Amino acid sequence: MLLNIQTKSKAITYTGCITQMCFFMVFIELDNFLLTVMAYDRYVAICHPLHYTAIMNSQLCGLLVLVSWILSLLHALLESLMVLQLSFCRNLEIPHVFCELNQVGQLACSDTFLNDMVMYIASVLLAGGSIAGILYSYSKIVSSICKISSTQGKIKAFSTCASHLSVVSIFYCTGLGVYLSSGATHSSHSSATASVMYTVVTPMLIPFIYSLRNKDVKRALRSLFGGQL
């Protein structure tokens, strides 16, 4: 985006497009897996508070991050190699803000049936598996919160999950909307808008949302707005 603004040109080479698409898939899948890991972290913190430090030790955290990176890289490599097998005409215009997988596939001159199948199967397995893990974690969390007798305790327990739930809602609702709607409609404008939400807006919101739980940030905001927060 910065390069386009500086050069006042929206052109991108074939190699650059494939590279951009590969990096996009790596980081979007990494977000997907890390949100699931964070849901598990919240589950352990609320449902097993006395064993939290023993369960979520540095070795397990490192292993979860490593597995997330490996799966993200393997998926991006698979999709990128399959796109390389497709044939494209010259001087194509991608009706999108960047080289996204399904948009690039729609511009191919060759048959994309296998690519589409792999893309949808991977989306169901990776995104579906992560969503299932998040829903399971929060079902256990809600069950544990309901067992807390005091209202203050329930509010405190739920507040630890509010930030994560906000990011999860934005990320998955917009992300899945892009891929699920691509088969039913070819509206590039709505697809691009949803893509901007989970590729630009969500990463920008994450630091802000999580920093609101920081006491120093709250103190600074109170002094800035005259103690209204």
Side-chain angles (χ1 to χ4, degrees), residues 39-57 60 136-145 147-148 157 160-161:
Y40 177 70
D41 174 79
R42 293 298 83 206
Y43 158 73
V44 176
I46 293 175
C47 299
H48 305 284
L50 299 179
H51 300 92
Y52 177 79
T53 54
I55 297 174
M56 296 302 294
N57 53 61
L60 178 61
Y136 176 79
S137 297
Y138 274 103
S139 67
K140 293 294 184 180
I141 289 171
V142 170
S143 177
S144 296
I145 290 177
K147 294 177 183 178
I148 299 175
T160 62
C161 307

Side-chain angles (χ1 to χ4, degrees), residues 144-195:
S144 296
I145 290 177
C146 290
K147 294 177 183 178
I148 299 175
S149 56
S150 66
T151 305
Q152 190 66 28
K154 291 181 179 180
I155 295 173
K156 185 178 180 180
F158 180 76
S159 66
T160 62
C161 307
S163 302
H164 181 254
L165 277 174
S166 302
V167 176
V168 166
S169 300
I170 297 172
F171 181 82
Y172 285 109
C173 289
T174 54
L176 289 176
V178 171
Y179 288 97
L180 294 178
S181 64
S182 62
T185 179
H186 296 284
S187 174
S188 58
H189 182 268
S190 59
S191 178
T193 302
S195 294

Side-chain angles (χ1 to χ4, degrees), residues 71-86:
L71 291 177
S72 301
L73 289 168
L74 289 176
H75 175 239
L77 182 62
L78 171 65
E79 297 286 8
S80 299
L81 290 175
M82 294 199 67
V83 171
L84 288 172
Q85 306 302 314
L86 299 176

Side-chain angles (χ1 to χ4, degrees), residues 8 31 36 50 63 74 80 84 88 97 112 114 120 123 153 170 175 177-178 183 198:
K8 297 181 180 179
D31 273 349
T36 309
L50 299 179
L63 178 63
L74 289 176
S80 299
L84 288 172
F88 294 92
V97 292
T112 61
L114 184 59
Y120 286 117
S123 297
I170 297 172
V178 171
Y198 77 93

